[in-house]
Amino acid sequence: MGRVVSGSKLLASQTRSMAVLSRMRLRWALLDTRVMGHGLCPQGARAKAAIPAALRDHESTEGPGTGQDRPRLRSLAELPGPGTLRFLFQLFLRGYVLHLHELQALNKAKYGPMWTTTFGTRTNVNLASAPLLEQVMRQEGKYPIRDSMEQWKEHRDHKGLSYGIFITQGQQWYHLRHSLNQRMLKPAEAALYTDALNEVISDFIARLDQVRTESASGDQVPDVAHLLYHLALEAICYILFEKRVGCLEPSIPEDTATFIRSVGLMFKNSVYVTFLPKWSRPLLPFWKRYMNNWDNIFSFGEKMIHQKVQEIEAQLQAAGPDGVQVSGYLHFLLTKELLSPQETVGTFPELILAGVDTTSNTLTWALYHLSKNPEIQEALHKEVTGVVPFGKVPQNKDFAHMPLLKAVIKETLRHSLCYATTWCPEIPVSFLSPRASSLTDG
């Protein structure tokens, strides 16, 4: 663990990953039917796309050819998969509704890298192959069309909130995405957050030492993934709002603890909300819980935004526009008027979810894969300590001398994001989280 912790001092490199990953999924391990959207093309067009040569022979989705002809591409109707009744039986009677990653593994073993599942009037096309996923993603245009996120929209509409980055489509999505890209995607801009991240990481390492000391054996961290979630939330809030929220304290502040609980409960109840018919909402508790937890999530985000707006207003009154020092991410977006207040409230809670969940999952699986490959862990430890000796704080420029660290992060993402589920008749794409797909990667 000591060597892995040494490597974790370089978590500042995740500033690059967070920006890239923010376009990805939110806990697909819990919600198989939440996808990125409706309609990339007419019915069946994507399903009939040619399969890259990189796909292994036993993963081919092509049908047998005739003579010298190329193999015949199968139509959507010819794809294998469980029937509707069997799928419902697997979800609710066998209990896979809360363990969808396990069901994905079983279906891949039985049906291959591409199969269909039907629920109600909608059909999923499930992809379990990195080349297939790559091909679908490469066919996205300027305005990728994604799932409508109906349950998310219902909450926003009920509360009169603006749609965020994961709900909007077309030009509105592009506007939000373009605005949020500022001071985030470019390495030189991500380097602005190095000191903030190093501060959080130092506190995280101290928290790890404390947890290890307090463990029964005196040398174990019982739930690393849980602590990495706290690390990611502390880091993303510090970047967005320039405010520490106490995730790494022995006693977490109540509003922060409520936010963390609400995220987990929102995703858990969203499974039932998605699969159960609307008429059951007044009769069962899941919809009310789902809405209440979304309220808690937005309450946390609105509080942070309100505090930052008050700080900016105080600076304007004290020193005028020229005296305002633009610093954090939200500060930059507001002072440059890249987002309206309504867009900010609608977008930032989703941005927190994206940054926290993707970063913590990536780090969790990176440590998992390193533990499975001790020789790589040894080489990475040697590289890290060679560039950043003990007692030295890593800086952005150090990463140019750590090719193995970059390779470990990329390989973690490549290995973990190998599953996708798409809706038919129009074929958009989404991702399972590393928490699920790395377990089911064949």
Side-chain angles (χ1 to χ4, degrees):
M1 182 64 194
R3 290 176 178 175
V4 172
V5 169
S6 296
S8 71
K9 289 184 178 181
L10 293 165
L11 297 183
S13 64
Q14 291 304 307
T15 55
R16 300 173 181 173
S17 298
M18 281 192 292
V20 177
L21 286 168
S22 64
R23 67 192 289 253
M24 296 183 181
R25 75 286 171 266
L26 291 177
R27 290 207 178 179
W28 250 102
L30 293 176
L31 188 54
D32 186 35
T33 58
R34 187 173 67 256
V35 297
M36 298 292 281
H38 286 103
L40 292 180
C41 64
Q43 178 172 356
R46 295 297 187 232
K48 295 180 180 180
I51 306 304
L55 195 61
R56 295 189 292 269
D57 291 340
H58 72 279
E59 290 191 344
S60 175
T61 60
E62 296 173 343
T66 56
Q68 300 297 321
D69 295 339
R70 294 179 57 190
R72 179 180 58 84
L73 299 180
R74 287 184 288 180
S75 68
L76 179 64
E78 293 176 296
L79 292 177
T84 301
L85 293 179
R86 177 170 178 79
F87 184 52
L88 293 175
F89 172 79
Q90 291 173 325
L91 288 177
F92 296 109
L93 296 183
R94 296 195 63 186
Y96 283 115
V97 67
L98 294 180
H99 302 275
L100 291 171
H101 58 285
E102 297 177 8
L103 182 59
Q104 292 275 11
L106 293 175
N107 285 335
K108 180 188 177 183
K110 183 173 183 179
Y111 302 114
M114 181 185 292
W115 68 95
T116 62
T117 51
T118 301
F119 187 86
T121 60
R122 308 186 76 177
T123 298
N124 287 345
V125 173
N126 303 268
L127 304 182
S129 164
L132 290 177
L133 177 57
E134 177 187 5
Q135 183 177 2
V136 175
M137 292 297 296
R138 288 188 180 278
Q139 295 181 67
E140 288 187 343
K142 181 178 180 180
Y143 304 126
I145 303 174
R146 306 167 303 163
D147 185 73
S148 58
M149 307 288 280
E150 288 299 331
Q151 288 77 30
W152 288 36
K153 280 185 176 180
E154 286 187 71
H155 171 265
R156 311 306 190 264
D157 292 341
H158 180 70
K159 294 296 181 178
L161 295 169
S162 175
Y163 291 166
I165 189 68
F166 290 99
I167 300 178
T168 52
Q169 304 282 354
Q171 292 185 354
Q172 186 182 7
W173 171 86
Y174 187 81
H175 160 69
L176 284 177
R177 182 68 183 176
H178 179 74
S179 299
L180 294 173
N181 284 353
Q182 306 295 315
R183 291 189 59 166
M184 184 63 77
L185 285 185
K186 295 180 180 179
E189 295 168 345
L192 298 172
Y193 311 120
T194 300
D195 291 340
L197 285 171
N198 277 330
E199 178 184 329
V200 173
I201 292 163
S202 296
D203 291 344
F204 172 69
I205 294 173
R207 178 64 178 149
L208 281 180
D209 290 338
Q210 182 183 19
V211 172
R212 292 176 64 192
T213 301
E214 294 174 352
S215 67
S217 62
D219 63 353
Q220 290 184 341
V221 178
D223 192 346
V224 176
H226 182 69
L227 288 175
L228 288 173
Y229 189 93
H230 287 191
L231 164 68
L233 178 57
E234 189 74 22
I236 194 66
C237 286
Y238 203 19
I239 290 173
L240 296 180
F241 308 110
E242 301 169 274
K243 181 178 176 59
R244 299 294 298 269
V245 294
C247 291
L248 303 177
E249 299 293 331
S251 179
I252 300 176
E254 182 57 33
D255 58 343
T256 302
T258 298
F259 174 83
I260 295 172
R261 287 194 303 269
S262 297
V263 171
L265 291 172
M266 182 275 292
F267 280 118
K268 182 176 182 179
N269 284 280
S270 68
V271 176
Y272 299 104
V273 166
T274 299
F275 287 117
L276 293 173
K278 289 186 177 182
W279 59 258
S280 68
R281 292 176 180 179
L283 305 176
L284 299 174
F286 305 115
W287 178 252
K288 183 177 180 180
R289 294 174 184 170
Y290 174 79
M291 296 289 281
N292 288 342
N293 285 296
W294 262 126
D295 289 346
N296 292 335
I297 292 169
F298 269 86
S299 177
F300 180 83
E302 288 178 13
K303 176 184 175 181
M304 303 290 286
I305 293 170
H306 180 67
Q307 290 176 349
K308 177 52 63 178
V309 170
Q310 286 184 320
E311 292 177 13
I312 297 174
E313 290 177 347
Q315 290 181 13
L316 286 170
Q317 291 178 2
D322 295 336
V324 175
Q325 298 296 319
V326 177
S327 48
Y329 188 60
L330 175 59
H331 198 168
F332 172 80
L333 293 176
L334 290 175
T335 54
K336 298 297 182 182
E337 298 183 344
L338 294 172
L339 291 182
S340 69
Q342 293 77 17
E343 290 172 331
T344 302
V345 171
T347 294
F348 264 66
E350 296 180 6
L351 200 60
I352 295 172
L353 289 179
V356 171
D357 200 69
T358 53
T359 302
S360 60
N361 276 329
T362 300
L363 294 174
T364 298
W365 283 112
L367 295 182
Y368 170 80
H369 290 307
L370 286 172
S371 71
K372 291 290 187 178
N373 297 273
E375 71 285 354
I376 301 298
Q377 183 180 157
E378 177 72 24
L380 180 60
H381 179 261
K382 183 177 180 180
E383 177 183 87
V384 169
T385 55
V387 178
V388 185
F390 180 78
K392 179 184 175 183
V393 177
Q395 298 298 317
N396 180 69
K397 60 182 176 60
D398 295 326
F399 301 127
H401 307 289
M402 300 180 191
L404 183 57
L405 175 63
K406 183 177 181 180
V408 165
I409 295 172
K410 284 191 170 185
E411 179 65 9
T412 298
L413 298 176
R414 185 203 67 81
H415 185 73
S416 300
L417 297 175
C418 65
Y419 280 80
T421 298
T422 60
W423 286 116
C424 286
E426 299 140 336
I427 311 291
V429 68
S430 182
F431 305 89
L432 289 174
S433 75
R435 185 172 299 165
S437 57
S438 186
L439 290 175
T440 58
D441 182 18

